[in-house]
Amino acid sequence: DTGVSQNPRHKITKRGQNVTFRCDPISEHNRLYWYRQTLGQGPEFLTYFQNEAQLEKSRLLSDRFSAERPKGSFSTLEIQRTEQGDSAMYLCASRKLRDTGELFFGEGSRLTVL
Amino acid sequence: AQTVTQSQPEMSVQEAETVTLSCTYDTSESDYYLFWYKQPPSRQMILVIRQEAYKQQNATENRFSVNFQKAAKSFSLKISDSQLGDAAMYFCAYRSAEVVGSGDKLTFGTGTRLAVRP
């Protein structure tokens, strides 16, 4: 098991373009989370899944953001019509439902919107 | 809504010495978990230590220990015998343990950057 994997690690895009990030959680983990982290701040919750069901979305997740976990395994986070304010590190984390509550984080996908 | 406050943006400690990082939180819930996470530069966040609110005994993990004061809503992290590899951002985080509550998510503080001087 290699842990939580995120791709791409870095993405530079122009304002108005669409971007998609992928997260592969630890295989037996049924909960998957997306967080956003801007410079000098702690991670902010965006959304989470239990298996393929999206159970909660933050108000931070505008209608330009969409997340999916179609088969309950990997997840994608798509940002449409990117804005400069979307520049951040997007973190994915996973955990088993009934455990100590520890989240296992990926290394993140850094988005820069020019 | 729960909030987590880390009032020390940066801290510095001499190698082999002890340092304490502060964290306070605000909640109306009685059952919850508290965590300290470490984020080394350009590496993923890893769990340092966790504390269940219903446990009075402070959690300890090797050189890391916490001082959990539930009434004061304080949760500080003590690092003993500091090592160069302890240099990182440290985040305090809160998670509700209640079924009907703030949901299954972590609320993080803004972090404390710890430098370790050789």
Side-chain angles (χ1 to χ4, degrees), chain A residues 1-63:
Chain A
D1 191 345
T2 56
V4 178
S5 176
Q6 293 189 244
N7 289 287
R9 294 290 312 281
H10 305 275
K11 178 72 176 178
I12 300 174
T13 191
K14 293 182 179 179
R15 185 165 51 93
Q17 298 296 305
N18 299 342
V19 297
T20 299
F21 300 114
R22 174 178 170 128
C23 172
D24 288 89
I26 295 172
S27 58
E28 66 268 27
H29 287 185
N30 45 17
R31 288 218 167 166
L32 184 149
Y33 306 76
W34 286 98
Y35 285 82
R36 180 171 67 188
Q37 186 177 22
T38 53
L39 199 63
Q41 299 296 316
E44 296 173 298
F45 169 78
L46 292 179
T47 187
Y48 84 94
F49 293 83
Q50 180 169 313
N51 301 317
E52 67 276 7
Q54 189 173 19
L55 296 188
E56 186 175 348
K57 293 193 295 185
S58 165
R59 281 171 287 183
L60 292 175
L61 213 64
S62 76
D63 55 7

Side-chain angles (χ1 to χ4, degrees), chain B residues 1-6 23-27 34 73 94 107-109:
Chain B
Q2 292 72 29
T3 58
V4 177
T5 302
Q6 294 180 251
C23 172
T24 58
Y25 58 95
D26 189 25
T27 184
L34 295 166
K73 296 180 182 175
Y94 171 103
T107 300
F108 287 87

Side-chain angles (χ1 to χ4, degrees), chain A residues 31 33 35 56 95 100, chain B residues 37 39 50 104-106:
Chain A
R31 288 218 167 166
Y33 306 76
Y35 285 82
E56 186 175 348
R95 76 175 182 96
T100 61
Chain B
Y37 276 87
Q39 188 176 39
R50 77 189 285 269
D104 182 30
K105 59 181 177 287
L106 290 179

Side-chain angles (χ1 to χ4, degrees), chain A residues 9 31 33 35 37 40-45 48 56 91 95 97 99-107, chain B residues 1 33 35 37 39 42-47 50 52 89 91 95 102-111:
Chain A
R9 294 290 312 281
R31 288 218 167 166
Y33 306 76
Y35 285 82
Q37 186 177 22
Q41 299 296 316
E44 296 173 298
F45 169 78
Y48 84 94
E56 186 175 348
L91 299 172
R95 76 175 182 96
L97 178 56
D99 69 348
T100 61
E102 176 182 357
L103 286 188
F104 293 82
F105 283 84
E107 295 189 10
Chain B
Y33 302 97
F35 304 85
Y37 276 87
Q39 188 176 39
S42 301
R43 297 187 63 184
Q44 70 258 55
M45 201 170 309
I46 57 174
L47 180 67
R50 77 189 285 269
E52 291 94 337
M89 281 291 288
F91 292 98
R95 182 168 79 84
S102 57
D104 182 30
K105 59 181 177 287
L106 290 179
T107 300
F108 287 87
T110 52

Side-chain angles (χ1 to χ4, degrees), chain A residues 61-77:
Chain A
L61 213 64
S62 76
D63 55 7
R64 297 185 297 105
F65 288 69
S66 62
E68 294 182 342
R69 195 182 181 195
K71 297 182 180 179
S73 57
F74 73 91
S75 175
T76 58
L77 176 68

